[in-house]
């Protein structure tokens, strides 16, 4: 089990992160002030440190400096400031990733997974992923179910790739819009629904085992629920 | 506050009159010194002239008398001694023996202020004639006294002049600065007033103050306009937030009012999430507009085809449009640098807007072209025309021409305001026209802003990766 450290002074956010990440299967420690966070981060061994920028006692950049002097624990910065300059400052100060509040929990989860993978040097990008009888070959750009080849449009393929890379997790419509269509703002469009519908028609409708699930009001998840 | 103002304003008067007093002192002092020096020089000149006159007379007399008879000369000197009051004559012969001297009694008793001329008396010719050495001294005590008096008078005059100048300066400066005092009093009253108006101070009250008053009043007008706008904006925001908040509170209370099954609670949460999304979208849009107002500018990407850039966005809007029976298409192309995320956001808002107002069965067309050298984008739809009075206000925040349809989906009336902000950030402006046949809403772009930001390249990947929350992705969690 991976250990995570959350350094966050706001009790609401800290509790929510603690609960959410614990439910996602991590061991989570929480620090409420800058100095406390730095001390805990430097004493323990964590897979990822989630660091708020505005902290009492010592700001996030100071804490980050302390952590960087000590080792290479991946640090994910959380902040309400999202001016590009702040972002550059965060990343150049040695943060591994940067997430702007308020953020989607699923987004945070995905970032944490990515950081843990990145920290694990043995990890190499897999070219073949499968769930039940579904196989996605990223190198050949092919999709098969029960060994039968399924033709997808490029957008459908991208969408399926995202779902299978985060299999078991809920991927929000917003994340899909961003990653597949590069749409970074709210729109009226139901493009995500339409594309998911088309994708299902091609890869789920003809099979008794349904793999793409709708999570009401949130998004979609790909998993074998049988 | 008041006393501080008073102290500061009187200190201006004080320092000004002090400075003027110093100036007066310096000038009067200089003048006094000049007068004194001139008088002193004139005195010396007069004394010298007197000495010259006396010695010349002595020389003339000696030339006549000396040859003949020394004793007659000495007797003459002695007889005339009474006619030389305030002077002293001493003559010695060549051997240094006293030839003649005025007695040390009145009127030849001199004060210590003296001026002396030494002279030599020759006989006109003849070697036998003796050579006499002498000195003629005059008493200049009266001159010295005059100079002394003059000095005192001048010093006193300088002092009094300085004091008077200082006092007059104080009065004049205070009088002159009176409009400033009124200005301060009026602005102070204004700062206490709940509804600050204009300064009543007549602009012509002083030439120096006039621009200040005029500019101050202009500033107040602008401040008031922006305050009114801000207040209206805040009221609108509060109003917009109130609707989703009402839903949230009501549905949550309802859900908690009696025991409910999991499905029912989940349905409530889903509906709450929808309301939260609307709030999130509103907050993000407002933040975006606040930054645009705060001077954020576009970070231009590389020069490229806008038509190609738009393709994903067109695809993305396709299903929503076709659901309404509207076809999307692009006409023309432009090749230039834009801030891609901003540009696409504006385009997306325009497409949303056009699709919603298009008559089913018609087409929405994005037109990219150049007019008079200025590149522009317009989104054209066919539908009910917008009333001419509404056209100029389309880009106002929270402005809706069609109140009846205001509550659909994510639209809170900031879409076109964002388009206007994006246009501004690109150095362009919005354009809108509407008639019975069609409505075209769009914006122009500055023609040559090819200077693209190198930092943007660095951030491009980062932004794509990290931009979870340019909008309201969070509530989706």
């Amino acid at each position: 089990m991976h250990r995570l450290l959350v350094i966050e002074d706001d009790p609401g956010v800290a509790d929510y992160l603690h609960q959410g990440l614990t439910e996602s299967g991590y061991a989570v420690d929480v620090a409420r002030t800058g100095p406390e966070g730095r001390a805990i981060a430097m004493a323990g061994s964590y897979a990822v440190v989630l660091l708020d920028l505005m902290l009492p006692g010592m700001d996030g950049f100071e804490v980050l400096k302390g952590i960087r002097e000590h080792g290479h624990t991946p640090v994910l910065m959380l902040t309400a400031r999202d001016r590009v300059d702040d972002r550059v400052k965060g990343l150049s100060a040695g943060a591994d990733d940067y997430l702007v509040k308020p953020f989607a929990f699923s987004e945070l989860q995905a970032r944490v997974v990515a950081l843990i993978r990145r920290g694990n040097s043995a990890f190499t990008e897999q070219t073949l992923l499968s769930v039940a009888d579904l196989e996605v070959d990223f190198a050949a750009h092919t999709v098969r179910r029960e060994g039968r080849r399924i033709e997808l449009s490029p957008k459908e393929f991208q969408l399926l790739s995202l779902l299978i890379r985060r299999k078991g997790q809920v991927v929000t419509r917003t994340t899909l819009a961003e990653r597949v269509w590069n749409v970074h703002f709210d729109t009226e469009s139901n493009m995500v629904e339409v594309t998911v519908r088309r994708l299902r028609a091609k890869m789920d409708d003809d099979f008794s085992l349904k793999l793409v699930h709708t999570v009401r009001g949130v998004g979609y998840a790909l998993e074998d629920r049988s | 506050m008041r006393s501080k103002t008073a102290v500061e304003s009187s200190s201006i008067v004080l320092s000004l009159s002090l400075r003027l007093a110093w100036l007066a002192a310096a000038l009067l002092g200089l003048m006094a010194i000049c007068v004194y020096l001139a008088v002193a020089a004139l005195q010396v000149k007069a004394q010298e002239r007197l000495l010259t006159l006396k010695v010349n007379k002595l020389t003339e007399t000696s030339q006549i008398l000396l040859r003949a008879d020394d004793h007659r000369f000495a007797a003459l000197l002695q007889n005339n001694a009474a006619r030389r009051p305030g002077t002293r004559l001493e003559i010695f012969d060549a051997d240094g023996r006293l030839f003649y001297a005025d007695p040390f009694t009145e009127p030849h008793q001199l004060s210590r202020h003296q001026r002396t001329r030494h002279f030599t008396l020759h006989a006109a010719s003849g070697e036998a004639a003796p050579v006499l050495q002498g000195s003629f001294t005059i008493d200049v005590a009266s001159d010295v006294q005059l100079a002394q008096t003059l000095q005192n008078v001048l010093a006193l005059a300088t002092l009094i002049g300085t004091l008077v100048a200082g006092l007059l300066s104080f009065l004049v400066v205070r009088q002159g600065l009176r409009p400033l005092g009124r200005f301060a009093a009026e602005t102070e009253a204004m700062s206490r007033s709940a509804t600050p108006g204009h300064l009543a101070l007549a602009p012509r009250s002083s030439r120096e103050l006039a621009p200040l008053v005029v500019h101050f009043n202009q500033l107040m007008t602008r401040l008031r306009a922006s305050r009114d706008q801000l207040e209206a904006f805040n009221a609108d925001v509060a109003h917009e937030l109130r609707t989703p908040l009402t839903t949230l509170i009501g549905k949550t209370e309802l859900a908690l009012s009696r025991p409910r099954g999991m499905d029912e609670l989940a349905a409530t949460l889903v509906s709450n999430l929808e309301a939260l999304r609307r709030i999130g979208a509103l907050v993000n849009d407002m933040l975006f507009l606040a930054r645009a107002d705060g001077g954020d500018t576009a970070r231009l990407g590389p020069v490229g085809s806008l038509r190609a850039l738009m393709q994903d966005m067109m695809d993305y809007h396709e299903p929503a449009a076709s659901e309404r029976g509207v076809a999307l298409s692009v006409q023309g192309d432009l090749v230039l640098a834009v801030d891609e995320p901003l540009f696409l956001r504006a385009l997306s808002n325009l497409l949303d807007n056009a699709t919603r107002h298009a008559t089913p069965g018609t087409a929405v067309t994005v037109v990219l072209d150049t007019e008079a050298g200025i590149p522009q984008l317009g989104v054209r739809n066919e539908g009910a025309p917008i009333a001419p009075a509404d056209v100029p206000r389309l880009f106002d925040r929270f402005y809706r021409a069609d109140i009846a349809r205001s509550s659909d989906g994510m639209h809170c009336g900031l879409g076109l305001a964002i388009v206007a902000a994006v246009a501004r950030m690109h150095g362009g402006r919005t354009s809108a026209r509407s008639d019975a046949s069609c409505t075209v809403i769009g914006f122009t772009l500055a023609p040559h802003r090819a200077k693209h930001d190198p930092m943007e390249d660095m951030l491009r990947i980062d932004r794509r990766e990290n931009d979870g929350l340019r909008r309201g992705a969070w509530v989706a969690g």
Side-chain angles (χ1 to χ4, degrees):
Chain A
M1 186 165 34
H2 294 291
R3 291 193 75 81
L4 306 181
L5 173 61
V6 174
I7 308 176
E8 165 68 65
D9 63 319
D10 183 83
V13 178
D15 289 351
Y16 143 68
L17 289 178
H18 183 264
Q19 188 194 344
L21 291 168
T22 307
E23 283 176 9
S24 308
Y26 298 102
V28 183
D29 294 334
V30 176
R32 291 283 162 83
T33 67
E36 184 195 353
R38 192 173 72 160
I40 297 179
M42 288 164 76
S45 157
Y46 292 95
V48 176
V49 175
L50 289 84
L51 176 63
D52 184 31
L53 258 188
M54 312 277 227
L55 289 169
M58 181 191 283
D59 83 356
F61 291 113
E62 283 294 306
V63 177
L64 180 59
K65 227 166 86 186
I67 295 173
R68 278 289 158 268
E69 279 165 13
H70 182 252
H72 298 286
T73 312
V75 173
L76 171 55
M77 275 213 163
L78 310 175
T79 173
R81 299 199 295 203
D82 72 335
R83 283 185 184 277
V84 174
D85 298 342
D86 289 331
R87 202 170 293 204
V88 170
K89 192 179 171 194
L91 292 174
S92 59
D96 297 87
D97 206 346
Y98 196 102
L99 200 53
V100 178
K101 285 179 191 172
F103 45 80
F105 185 72
S106 59
E107 188 63 30
L108 177 86
Q109 245 180 328
R111 302 287 175 99
V112 170
V113 169
L115 284 176
I116 290 173
R117 274 185 195 161
R118 208 193 291 178
N120 178 0
S121 54
F123 176 84
T124 49
E125 189 76 37
Q126 283 171 276
T127 57
L128 192 75
L129 285 175
S130 63
V131 172
D133 55 1
L134 170 73
E135 274 181 11
V136 178
D137 186 335
F138 296 103
H141 245 257
T142 55
V143 177
R144 289 170 201 279
R145 274 203 82 167
E146 294 174 352
R148 234 167 62 207
R149 174 116 183 230
I150 296 167
E151 295 298 331
L152 295 181
S153 76
K155 293 288 179 208
E156 288 159 3
F157 184 83
Q158 267 178 278
L159 195 132
L160 178 63
S161 307
L162 206 60
L163 289 174
I164 201 168
R165 283 208 170 100
R166 299 188 182 180
K167 66 183 166 192
Q169 296 172 24
V170 184
V171 183
T172 63
R173 274 192 289 270
T174 321
T175 306
L176 291 169
E178 277 172 28
R179 296 299 157 93
V180 180
W181 285 273
N182 195 23
V183 171
H184 292 264
F185 34 82
D186 299 290
T187 65
E188 279 276 274
S189 179
N190 52 353
M191 188 61 184
V192 176
E193 288 85 337
V194 171
T195 310
V196 169
R197 203 156 59 223
R198 287 182 192 150
L199 178 68
R200 275 177 164 156
K202 287 179 180 173
M203 60 152 281
D204 252 2
D205 287 1
D206 299 340
F207 302 89
S208 58
L209 178 65
K210 308 298 182 199
L211 293 177
V212 177
H213 306 279
T214 302
V215 180
R216 222 174 1 155
V218 182
Y220 303 94
L222 188 135
E223 65 186 320
D224 181 1
R225 290 185 176 172
S226 59
Chain B
M1 185 72 199
R2 185 175 197 95
S3 66
K4 196 178 172 214
T5 316
V7 164
E8 275 171 8
S9 68
S10 84
S11 86
I12 281 191
V13 171
L14 259 184
S15 87
L16 262 181
S17 35
L18 261 180
R19 272 185 270 174
L20 285 171
W22 276 117
L23 197 67
L27 287 175
L28 287 173
L30 190 69
M31 218 156 74
I33 289 171
C34 288
V35 168
Y36 177 79
L37 289 179
V39 168
L42 282 174
Q43 282 181 336
V44 169
K45 210 170 165 186
Q47 291 158 8
E48 290 293 338
R49 198 187 299 140
L50 182 66
L51 284 171
T52 308
L53 204 69
K54 295 282 183 194
V55 171
N56 283 352
K57 213 167 191 173
L58 212 61
T59 312
E60 273 171 36
T61 317
S62 72
Q63 280 179 348
I64 299 167
L65 295 180
L66 206 52
R67 197 178 355 169
D69 188 352
D70 286 353
H71 295 285
R72 259 184 73 198
F73 182 47
L76 185 70
L77 291 174
Q78 197 145 22
N79 289 341
N80 284 347
R83 282 157 52 189
R84 300 194 300 272
T87 64
R88 211 184 134 66
L89 179 65
E90 282 179 345
I91 300 173
F92 301 88
D93 66 15
D95 302 328
R97 280 185 308 239
L98 187 66
F99 174 76
Y100 168 80
D102 284 333
F104 279 104
T105 54
E106 280 297 330
H108 300 293
Q109 206 150 29
L110 302 185
S111 73
R112 57 192 177 84
H113 302 291
Q114 307 170 344
R115 183 171 287 275
T116 302
R117 170 82 55 92
H118 296 277
F119 56 88
T120 310
L121 297 177
H122 300 273
S125 59
E127 283 172 23
V131 176
L132 297 179
Q133 302 277 350
S135 68
F136 193 84
T137 302
I138 55 173
D139 189 342
V140 295
S142 65
D143 281 356
V144 169
Q145 204 181 346
L146 180 74
Q148 195 66 52
T149 309
L150 184 69
Q151 204 176 340
N152 291 342
V153 166
L154 286 175
L156 197 66
T158 303
L159 190 69
I160 291 172
T162 302
L163 287 176
V164 170
L167 190 68
L168 286 178
S169 303
F170 179 80
L171 294 175
V172 167
V173 168
R174 200 176 57 170
Q175 177 66 29
L177 286 183
R178 197 150 284 170
L180 205 59
R182 278 206 298 277
F183 183 76
E186 277 194 41
T187 48
E188 188 184 352
M190 198 178 282
S191 75
R192 287 167 186 215
S193 147
T195 52
H198 278 151
L199 290 177
L201 206 63
R204 62 187 160 73
S205 60
S206 92
R207 201 191 304 162
E208 287 77 11
L209 220 55
L212 193 61
V213 172
V214 169
H215 291 155
F216 187 89
N217 282 342
Q218 284 171 352
L219 182 69
M220 288 309 290
T221 306
R222 277 178 46 206
L223 273 179
R224 211 165 29 180
S226 68
R227 189 198 59 177
D228 291 349
Q229 199 184 355
L230 196 67
E231 275 175 3
F233 186 60
N234 282 344
D236 283 339
V237 168
H239 179 79
E240 292 294 332
L241 287 174
R242 196 183 260 173
T243 313
L245 283 173
T246 306
T247 317
L248 271 175
I249 294 169
K251 290 207 170 167
T252 309
E253 276 179 351
L254 199 64
L256 293 172
S257 63
R258 62 171 72 176
R260 309 224 177 235
M262 282 304 289
D263 280 357
E264 256 182 301
L265 287 177
T268 303
L269 285 178
V270 167
S271 140
N272 285 359
L273 193 56
E274 211 46 59
L276 287 169
R277 261 189 203 132
R278 280 181 63 189
I279 296 173
L282 178 66
V283 168
N284 282 307
D285 283 353
M286 283 173 48
L287 204 56
F288 176 85
L289 287 172
R291 280 183 193 164
D293 287 351
D296 265 17
T297 52
R299 293 171 179 272
L300 298 186
V303 175
S305 156
L306 294 190
R307 191 184 181 121
L309 181 67
M310 281 161 42
Q311 198 48 57
D312 267 355
M313 189 56 69
M314 301 303 290
D315 289 350
Y316 192 76
H317 279 269
E318 229 294 309
S322 65
E323 215 166 62
R324 288 190 165 96
V326 172
L328 297 183
S329 65
V330 185
Q331 214 176 74
D333 194 5
L334 286 169
V335 176
L336 76 167
V338 293
D339 183 317
E340 290 171 14
L342 291 185
F343 177 80
L344 290 176
R345 184 171 188 163
L347 173 68
S348 177
N349 288 355
L350 287 170
L351 284 173
D352 264 352
N353 184 67
T355 309
R356 267 182 301 134
H357 295 98
T359 309
T362 61
V364 165
T365 313
V366 181
V367 183
L368 295 168
D369 61 3
T370 304
E371 198 179 289
I374 296 172
Q376 59 179 18
L377 173 145
V379 178
R380 187 174 66 210
N381 73 272
E382 292 170 37
I386 303 167
D390 289 334
V391 172
R393 302 192 55 196
L394 280 178
F395 297 94
D396 287 0
R397 288 159 198 200
F398 295 117
Y399 185 76
R400 292 191 191 90
D402 49 349
I403 304 293
R405 292 164 73 183
S406 66
S407 60
D408 60 342
M410 302 294 274
H411 290 275
C412 52
L414 288 177
L416 291 182
I418 287 175
V419 172
V422 170
R424 248 191 346 265
M425 288 160 92
H426 279 87
R429 48 195 306 167
T430 53
S431 63
R433 61 187 165 80
S434 186
D435 56 35
S437 65
C438 69
T439 298
V440 183
I441 302 178
F443 57 94
T444 62
L445 293 155
H448 293 296
R449 296 223 355 228
K451 202 180 75 176
H452 110 262
D453 185 347
M455 185 153 94
E456 181 57 24
D457 284 341
M458 209 174 90
L459 286 169
R460 192 166 300 280
I461 296 163
D462 166 54
R463 186 185 276 191
R464 204 171 264 231
E465 287 292 314
N466 284 352
D467 246 359
L469 230 285
R470 288 221 130 189
R471 35 99 152 241
W474 55 290
V475 270

